[in-house]
Amino acid sequence: MVDTTRKCSFCGASIEPGTGKMFVKKDGTILFFDTNKCYKNMIELKRVARTTEWTEKAAIEKAARLKAAEKKEE
């Protein structure tokens, strides 16, 4: 049996085997969460990871915006 680390579906942090929370949607999609904070933000509060500042996806979006603005200035 191979234990693999998973990524949190909301913030992008790695999840150690045997920890975290797994959520299965009605359509069969499986979501993994490292903390209850991530679970509540995505499922209960219906927030988008791109617009939540402390997530990995928000950091990627911000870097892309800054790069595009820098390119536009040149």
Side-chain angles (χ1 to χ4, degrees):
M1 190 162 125
V2 178
D3 290 326
T4 59
T5 57
R6 304 185 191 283
K7 281 184 87 172
C8 178
S9 298
F10 190 72
C11 71
S14 62
I15 304 170
E16 293 296 320
T19 62
K21 186 182 285 193
M22 181 172 72
F23 181 79
V24 182
K25 293 169 59 173
K26 288 181 182 178
D27 64 358
T29 306
I30 301 172
L31 302 172
F32 295 97
F33 299 102
D34 62 336
T35 60
N36 201 38
K37 177 181 177 181
C38 293
Y39 171 78
K40 285 182 178 179
N41 272 284
M42 188 170 196
I43 304 301
E44 294 178 9
L45 300 174
K46 296 182 179 11
R47 291 188 176 149
V48 181
R50 288 190 325 264
T51 60
T52 308
E53 292 180 9
W54 49 269
T55 63
E56 185 178 296
K57 292 176 185 174
I60 293 169
E61 288 284 325
K62 184 177 181 180
R65 276 196 316 269
L66 292 174
K67 189 173 183 180
E70 182 179 293
K71 205 172 210 181
K72 192 174 184 180
E73 287 178 2
E74 291 177 358

